[in-house]
Amino acid sequence: MGWKESDLVVDLDPPDEECPICISSLQGDEVVVELSRCNHHFHHKCVTSWFRSRPSCPTCLRPYGIFTGTQPRGSMFVQTQSDWSCAGFPLHGVITINYRFPNGIQGPEHPNPGYHYKGTVRTAFLPDNEEGRDILRLLKIAWERKLVFTVGTSITTGLSNCVIWNGIHHKTQYEGTYGYPDATYLSRVRQELAALGVF
Ligand SMILES: [Zn+2]
Ligand SMILES: [Zn+2]
């Protein structure tokens, strides 16, 4: 899991470019590295700090290692129904994903180890077409890698020590404000998953 030292190759003669992370010159005093697989350049301190939260090149999203998150113990339950549709996908049925987390005690990977956290129940929808089924496949990988939820402060309620979404957007209505139609949702969530190293 995670990147390896050998993924970062020190470049003693850096190009006349800006570091894409901090937008300052690569030709200053900071150590500059080239990523081994994609050859993009960054300050060493910028890219190592980036890799702490995301396992992919900031410029091209090339993965560097497998990244796992801090999602607590829970369950993911998937059903498909053919007698109704997500708005905008009238010819296809619906994939319903139910996520369920009981209350629990935070581990060392969470913001307040030893304290309680509040569980949650969430339902999300995908169109049951080829692309929707592929997104489901990726969400199952993200789930196994503990990336879909985390423990933190809820943006909607302001309450801390809750199970919350971890930045992979889900549609929690099959039509309406938090749902469909949304022509670009499936490609956006695919990019969010790719940025976490899930392909
Ligand atoms: Zn930088
Ligand atoms: Zn790159």
Side-chain angles (χ1 to χ4, degrees), residues 22-196:
C22 69
I23 322 295
S24 64
S25 171
L26 289 174
Q27 295 189 325
D29 295 333
E30 299 284 346
V31 176
V32 170
V33 291
E34 180 178 305
L35 297 188
S36 61
R37 295 177 212 175
C38 64
N39 308 112
H40 286 118
H41 288 78
F42 306 92
H43 293 123
H44 179 268
K45 73 170 182 3
C46 293
V47 79
T48 51
S49 132
W50 174 276
F51 276 162
R52 257 173 244 136
S53 60
R54 279 146 297 192
S56 48
C57 172
T59 301
C60 68
L61 300 183
R62 185 97 181 228
Y64 285 86
I66 287 181
F67 187 58
T68 54
T70 59
Q71 176 180 289
R73 190 173 52 84
S75 60
M76 176 184 188
F77 180 66
V78 178
Q79 280 177 296
T80 55
Q81 284 118 328
S82 55
D83 50 347
W84 50 293
S85 298
C86 295
F89 298 91
L91 302 177
H92 303 280
V94 177
I95 299 168
T96 305
I97 310 170
N98 285 294
Y99 296 109
R100 192 171 279 274
F101 292 91
N103 297 336
I105 306 284
Q106 296 181 48
E109 70 278 28
H110 295 135
N112 296 301
Y115 282 73
H116 283 89
Y117 63 80
K118 192 172 178 332
T120 192
V121 175
R122 299 293 172 95
T123 302
F125 302 98
L126 291 168
D128 188 12
N129 62 5
E130 195 175 334
E131 194 176 8
R133 287 190 289 270
D134 196 49
I135 296 298
L136 176 64
R137 176 184 69 82
L138 297 173
L139 287 174
K140 286 178 174 172
I141 295 172
W143 172 266
E144 292 301 321
R145 295 184 188 170
K146 303 183 184 300
L147 295 168
V148 184
F149 290 83
T150 186
V151 173
T153 300
S154 161
I155 298 169
T156 43
T157 65
L159 292 173
S160 53
N161 306 316
C162 295
V163 177
I164 56 171
W165 296 111
N166 191 34
I168 302 168
H169 284 87
H170 283 63
K171 291 295 191 184
T172 54
Q173 296 177 319
Y174 61 95
E175 61 181 348
T177 318
Y178 302 107
Y180 300 89
D182 183 338
T184 60
Y185 167 66
L186 294 172
S187 57
R188 293 200 318 273
V189 72
R190 184 184 295 281
Q191 284 173 3
E192 290 168 356
L193 287 155
L196 292 164

